[in-house]
Every structure is written in C-alpha cells, then in structure tokens.
Amino acid sequence: MMGLEIKNLYVEVDATEILHGIDLKVPAGEVHAIMGPNGTGKSTLAYSLMGHPKYTVTKGDALLNGESIMGLAPEERSHKGLFLAFQYPVAIPGVTVANFLRTAINTQRKSVDPDYHGISIPEFRKLMLEKMELLDMDPKMGGRYLNDGFSGGEKKRVEILQMAMLEPNMAVLDETDSGLDIDALRIVAQGINTLKNEKLGILVITHYQRILNYLKPDVVHVMVDGKIVESGGPDLALRLEDEGYGWVKA
Ligand code: ADP
Ligand code: MG
C-alpha cells in the first residue's frame, strides 16, 4: 500500500507503556486526523514514527509505502519521504531559515544520489521564494535565525515551508494548530491545503477540531489512553467538539 500503515504498535517511554496496539492506515492522497485528550499518546506516536531514541517500540510495525521503517535511523526515514512537524519546534540561533532549508534539501538529494553536488544558491532562492509565496510568507524570514524569537504562527509556517520544499510523501503534523490565532491558523491550514496531492498522505494530530474546518480530513480517528477507540468521517470531529471526549471509552 502507498502511504503509512501502522500495525499493532506498542511503545514504551522510560519503561512505561504509552501506546497499547495502534492500528492505522493513511493511504497516499488522503488526509487523516487523530484527535484525543491531552496525555493520551498522540505525540508519542509522532515521535515513535520519527524514531526518537526515547521511544521504544516493543511490538508491532510501521510501514511507509509497504516498507518497514522501524529499523531505520530518523534521517533514513526522512529520506524515504516521511516528514514530521513537531508540537514544539526547536530554535537554532546562528542558523538561518534559508541555510537550514538548503542543508535539508542537499542532505535529502544526496541520499538519493551520492554524487549530488548541492543546489545552487540561485536555484535554491527561486525555490524558497516560490514556496514562501504559496504560504504567504515574508521573504525576510529566510534570513532570520531558525525559530529564534519566532511567534507561534511563524514557527508553524516555517515548518510547512520545510514540508513544501522537501516534498515528502507522508507528513505527520503534531498540533500544528496549537498556539495559533485564527488568522495564523487559516494561513497555515491553507498552506497545507495547497500542498495536498494524490501522492501525499497527511496525518494531522490535534486536540481541537478547528483546524479540521479548513483541512477537511477524509477520516478522523480518536485516540484515548494509547489506543484508537473510534474512526469515522469529519462529523466525528464535530461531535467531539460538542460533547467532549467523555462518550468515547477506551
Ligand atoms: P499527547 O501528545 O496526546 O498529549 P503524549 O504522547 O505527549 O500525549 O504523552 C502521553 C503520555 O506519556 C502522558 O501520560 C505522559 O505523561 C507520558 N509520558 C511522557 N513522557 C514520559 C516519561 N518520560 N515517562 C513516563 N511517562 C511519560
Ligand atoms: Mg502532544
């Protein structure tokens, strides 16, 4: 299957089991959402997919385009086309957004072709400005240090910019909506919408329904206590917004 397939995944953090058998399929071309209360294991799933060393997979598997990624290093997963936007992006003072993105592109292209000599500055600039325009970003952002003093909205936009430039085939967006005011939320969501295509699967992790008004997921999954307890159409998100999580039982 093209896309992401998570099979009976169990994950521990510091010897505590957090995910208790997650099954999930996100086919290429579809947008899926995972909603759930805080502390339920949503970020744990995102970190496990990326291969964060703190998260130990004790059972199960995750396949990207039919191939297991669980034995791979984080950068290898990324080279296979997996992209993760984290809830709390880190600041890197001294590294500009443009430099960061250029390095990311070069690393990715070199993984495909070891002889690749690196993207030229004019070619890179053209690509970055094109994608920035798509995301309604000020070109000056490229010269600022990565996430250093960025507002919540700016951080998220830079993440989506990175996604736009790396052209992944599976994007996992962990609480991309958190801390955004309604205008920033709309711009970020529209940015994600412009990147949608039949080859890209998108998994949006969120606590709130509001970003889903813009992203219009094909399927909504509900996670409670480290398990998917319910899956359904977009109306499921609306019901959660109205009635809270009390009615879905783990
Ligand atoms: P969510 O993203 O859904 O809010 P998280 O994946 O961040 O949830 O956290 C899931 C659970 O894992 C929480 O109950 C949290 O307390 C627990 N957790 C996170 N880190 C650790 C740790 N180092 N040791 C034990 N439990 C942890
Ligand atoms: Mg989280």
Side-chain angles (χ1 to χ4, degrees):
M1 182 192 110
M2 292 307 277
L4 177 69
E5 198 172 349
I6 300 170
K7 291 181 174 173
N8 198 28
L9 195 71
Y10 284 75
V11 174
E12 284 181 3
V13 183
D14 293 339
T16 305
E17 191 175 278
I18 308 289
L19 300 182
H20 317 289
I22 299 286
D23 284 290
L24 194 69
K25 276 184 196 174
V26 185
E30 291 189 7
V31 178
H32 287 220
I34 294 182
M35 297 185 72
N38 284 328
T40 216
K42 303 185 301 296
S43 293
T44 299
L45 179 64
Y47 282 118
S48 313
L49 290 174
M50 193 71 259
H52 191 295
K54 220 178 99 179
Y55 299 81
T56 310
V57 174
T58 53
K59 203 174 157 190
D61 205 353
L63 313 181
L64 184 62
N65 304 328
E67 231 184 293
S68 174
I69 54 169
M70 279 315 179
L72 303 178
E75 63 274 18
E76 293 171 315
R77 300 180 193 207
S78 140
H79 297 155
K80 298 243 177 238
L82 181 66
F83 177 83
L84 270 109
F86 288 105
Q87 192 167 355
Y88 306 107
V90 290
I92 315 186
V95 175
T96 63
V97 168
N99 264 325
F100 171 75
L101 292 173
R102 199 159 157 247
T103 306
I105 285 185
N106 283 336
T107 311
Q108 188 194 45
R109 293 188 181 178
K110 271 184 197 149
S111 79
V112 179
D113 172 14
D115 293 330
Y116 185 71
H117 284 303
I119 187 167
S120 73
I121 305 248
E123 191 196 339
F124 173 77
R125 270 194 69 79
K126 185 167 166 280
L127 182 67
M128 185 173 73
L129 292 175
E130 196 183 289
K131 303 294 187 189
M132 280 180 147
E133 202 181 316
L134 206 67
L135 295 167
D136 196 17
M137 287 175 75
D138 183 347
K140 284 201 197 84
M141 285 297 279
R144 288 179 57 188
Y145 291 144
L146 186 66
N147 292 328
D148 196 18
F150 283 19
S151 71
E154 287 169 334
K155 284 183 192 172
K156 302 297 169 171
R157 261 191 261 189
V158 166
E159 286 199 308
I160 304 306
L161 176 66
Q162 190 189 349
M163 174 177 159
M165 296 188 71
L166 290 177
E167 298 182 343
N169 50 51
M170 177 57 55
V172 179
L173 309 173
D174 189 9
E175 306 243 359
T176 292
D177 50 343
S178 74
L180 300 189
D181 62 35
I182 196 73
D183 292 324
L185 179 77
R186 199 188 61 247
I187 291 163
V188 166
Q190 280 168 354
I192 296 168
N193 278 333
T194 63
L195 300 178
K196 264 196 216 171
N197 67 70
E198 72 282 0
K199 287 189 187 141
L200 172 67
I202 300 179
L203 181 59
V204 186
I205 296 174
T206 183
H207 182 72
Y208 297 104
Q209 191 269 337
R210 53 179 203 163
I211 194 173
L212 305 181
N213 288 334
Y214 300 101
L215 292 182
K216 306 204 188 322
D218 298 289
V219 184
V220 175
H221 309 274
V222 184
M223 190 191 280
V224 177
D225 293 340
K227 282 187 199 141
I228 303 288
V229 294
E230 194 81 47
S231 297
D235 46 313
L236 187 53
L238 293 170
R239 179 153 184 214
L240 291 169
E241 188 83 343
D242 284 348
E243 301 176 32
Y245 289 101
W247 63 276
V248 274
K249 291 275 174 286

